[in-house]
């Protein structure tokens, strides 16, 4: 322990071929980030301005879009800054902050998908009780839980990591995450490991509950053509988002903890970035295009803007 150094900065992984292609990378990632902000903000504005969309399902969708922009902002500005300067260094406090934003966003996405599953379950299986169960108070409480639980759980994980003394300062990833910082420690990380396993188990339980809920919904909808139509229109997009997000999160978690250095760098970086790139792009597309009410009002808003211009 005599050789311990206290690091003020971390170094991050350099993208492969960054010396030659960093300007191309910058243009591509800047375009993706701009597209994420544009699509998600458009959907949020339409939902806020259209009174007909002031319903729980669309409110949760708006929250999903806001969270997508929040999580993306934790990664893209810093990564674009690194590409411009060709310098992949981050102060320790900024590394902790980036980890907090990205992973609280990931947990918030999961919580929001769980709230949306509950909303669809009540709407389809208990339609007569829908307005009493999904009232304004219920929506506010669910949104409060969707943000506070991820914030608190992520903050606890970072506080547990902050107490560790580090022996290294290189994070073999394009962005900071909590477990990568924990792995740099030369102290015992048993507490961090136990807390991480509890968090993983909790997320797995949420996933299992959501899947069981949708299976019950699918069975309940078999008897009615109208219910089947409603299930395909409103529930299938949720399932697509959930499966895509869960697979990406499972890989990110498993590789961080048990991944081998023999794993191809390109594939590892793609799968690590998939959780940041795909959900914020996919969510507004599948909901905006699939939900008739949202699609019609988005088109109506675009036509009105074109007429005014």
């Amino acid at each position: 322990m005599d050789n311990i150094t206290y690091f003020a900065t971390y170094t991050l992984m350099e993208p492969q071929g960054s010396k030659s292609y960093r300007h191309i990378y910058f243009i591509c990632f800047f375009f993706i980030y701009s597209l994420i902000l544009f699509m998600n903000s458009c959907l949020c504005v339409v939902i806020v301005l259209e009174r007909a969309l002031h319903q729980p399902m669309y409110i949760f969708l708006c929250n999903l879009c806001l969270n997508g922009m929040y999580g993306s902002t934790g990664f893209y500005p810093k990564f674009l800054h690194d590409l411009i300067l060709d310098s992949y260094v981050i102060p320790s406090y900024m590394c902790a902050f980036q980890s907090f934003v990205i992973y609280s966003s990931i947990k918030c996405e999961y919580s929001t998908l769980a709230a949306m599953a509950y909303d669809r379950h009540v709407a389809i299986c208990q339609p007569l009780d829908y307005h009493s169960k999904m009232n304004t108070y219920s929506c506010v409480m669910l949104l409060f839980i969707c943000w506070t639980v991820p914030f608190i759980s992520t903050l606890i994980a970072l506080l547990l990591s902050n107490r560790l003394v580090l022996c290294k300062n290189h994070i073999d990833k394009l962005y900071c995450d909590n477990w990568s910082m924990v792995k740099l420690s030369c102290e015992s990380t048993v507490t961090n490991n136990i807390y991480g396993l509890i968090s993983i188990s909790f997320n797995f339980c949420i996933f299992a509950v959501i899947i069981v809920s949708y299976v019950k919904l699918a069975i309940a909808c078999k008897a009615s053509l109208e219910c089947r139509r409603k299930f395909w229109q409103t529930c299938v997009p949720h399932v697509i988002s959930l499966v895509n997000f869960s697979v990406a999160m499972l890989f990110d978690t498993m590789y961080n903890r048990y991944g081998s250095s023999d794993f191809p760098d390109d594939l590892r970086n793609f799968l690590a970035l998939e959780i940041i790139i795909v959900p914020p792009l996919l969510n507004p597309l599948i909901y905006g295009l699939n939900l008739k009410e949202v699609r019609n009002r988005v088109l109506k808003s675009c036509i009105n803007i074109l007429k005014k211009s």
Side-chain angles (χ1 to χ4, degrees):
M1 300 293 286
D2 295 332
N3 296 323
I4 291 172
T5 304
Y6 293 90
F7 299 102
T9 61
Y10 295 97
T11 57
L12 299 172
M13 172 193 286
E14 291 188 23
Q16 189 171 6
S18 62
K19 300 293 183 186
S20 305
Y21 303 111
R22 62 192 180 93
H23 294 101
I24 297 174
Y25 288 155
F26 179 88
I27 292 170
C28 291
F29 279 95
F30 180 79
F31 176 74
I32 292 171
Y33 183 46
S34 301
L35 199 60
I36 287 172
L37 293 180
F38 175 73
M39 291 195 302
N40 284 278
S41 59
C42 279
L43 209 55
C44 288
V45 169
V46 169
I47 292 171
V48 169
L49 294 181
E50 293 287 345
R51 292 185 61 85
L53 299 180
H54 292 181
Q55 301 174 32
M57 180 173 67
Y58 304 115
I59 292 171
F60 292 135
L61 172 56
C62 183
N63 189 64
L64 204 63
C65 292
L66 287 171
N67 180 64
M69 291 188 286
Y70 162 70
S72 299
T73 302
F75 168 72
Y76 287 95
K78 176 64 176 74
F79 186 59
L80 293 172
H81 172 269
D82 290 347
L83 288 172
I84 285 292
L85 298 181
D86 195 28
S87 175
Y88 304 90
V89 177
I90 184 170
S92 56
Y93 69 90
M94 280 300 297
C95 190
F97 181 70
Q98 184 180 54
S99 175
F100 175 83
V101 171
I102 291 175
Y103 281 86
S104 61
S105 171
I106 289 171
K107 293 177 182 180
C108 183
E109 177 116 359
Y110 230 57
S111 303
T112 305
L113 289 172
M116 294 172 84
Y118 174 72
D119 171 73
R120 290 300 85 202
H121 187 275
V122 176
I124 295 175
C125 295
Q126 303 171 27
L128 297 178
D129 299 327
Y130 181 73
H131 292 292
S132 61
K133 288 192 173 183
M134 294 304 297
N135 52 38
T136 304
Y137 176 77
S138 301
C139 287
V140 170
M141 287 305 299
L142 285 171
L143 289 173
F144 179 76
I145 292 170
C146 284
W147 285 98
T148 53
V149 172
F151 274 27
I152 292 171
S153 62
T154 307
L155 184 61
I156 291 172
L158 286 172
L159 289 174
L160 288 174
S161 304
N162 188 60
R163 67 183 178 82
L164 298 173
V165 177
L166 306 181
C167 297
K168 296 173 286 184
N169 72 328
H170 179 69
I171 294 176
D172 198 26
K173 209 169 183 179
L174 296 174
Y175 57 89
C176 292
D177 72 84
N178 182 60
W179 193 251
S180 293
M181 292 188 284
V182 170
K183 289 193 296 185
L184 300 177
S185 173
C186 42
E187 293 184 312
S188 171
T189 60
V190 173
T191 304
N192 303 74
N193 197 38
I194 292 173
Y195 182 78
L197 292 174
I198 291 172
S199 296
I200 294 169
S201 302
F202 180 72
N203 288 329
F204 177 78
C205 289
I206 292 177
F207 175 80
V209 168
I210 296 173
I211 291 298
V212 169
S213 174
Y214 281 129
V215 169
K216 288 184 176 180
L217 278 176
I219 294 171
C221 290
K222 287 174 63 178
S224 166
L225 180 62
E226 177 62 22
C227 280
R228 286 202 302 271
R229 185 193 66 79
K230 189 183 292 186
F231 178 83
W232 280 99
Q233 188 179 53
T234 63
C235 296
V236 171
H238 298 178
V239 176
I240 294 172
S241 290
L242 178 70
V243 171
N244 168 73
F245 191 73
S246 298
V247 169
M249 191 170 75
L250 179 64
F251 169 82
D252 185 67
T253 302
M254 291 298 102
Y255 184 84
N256 272 349
R257 290 173 173 271
Y258 312 112
S260 167
S261 57
D262 298 329
F263 202 81
D265 285 344
D266 290 342
L267 182 58
R268 174 161 59 95
N269 288 334
F270 171 77
L271 292 173
L273 289 176
E274 197 269 352
I275 201 170
I276 297 173
I277 294 174
V278 177
L281 282 174
L282 185 67
N283 289 337
L285 281 176
I286 61 174
Y287 290 113
L289 294 177
N290 192 62
L291 295 178
K292 183 179 177 182
E293 293 83 355
V294 176
R295 183 173 65 247
N296 289 344
R297 282 166 173 80
V298 168
L299 290 174
K300 179 183 172 183
S301 300
C302 290
I303 291 170
N304 289 338
I305 291 171
L306 288 173
K307 284 181 178 178
K308 290 178 180 178
S309 61

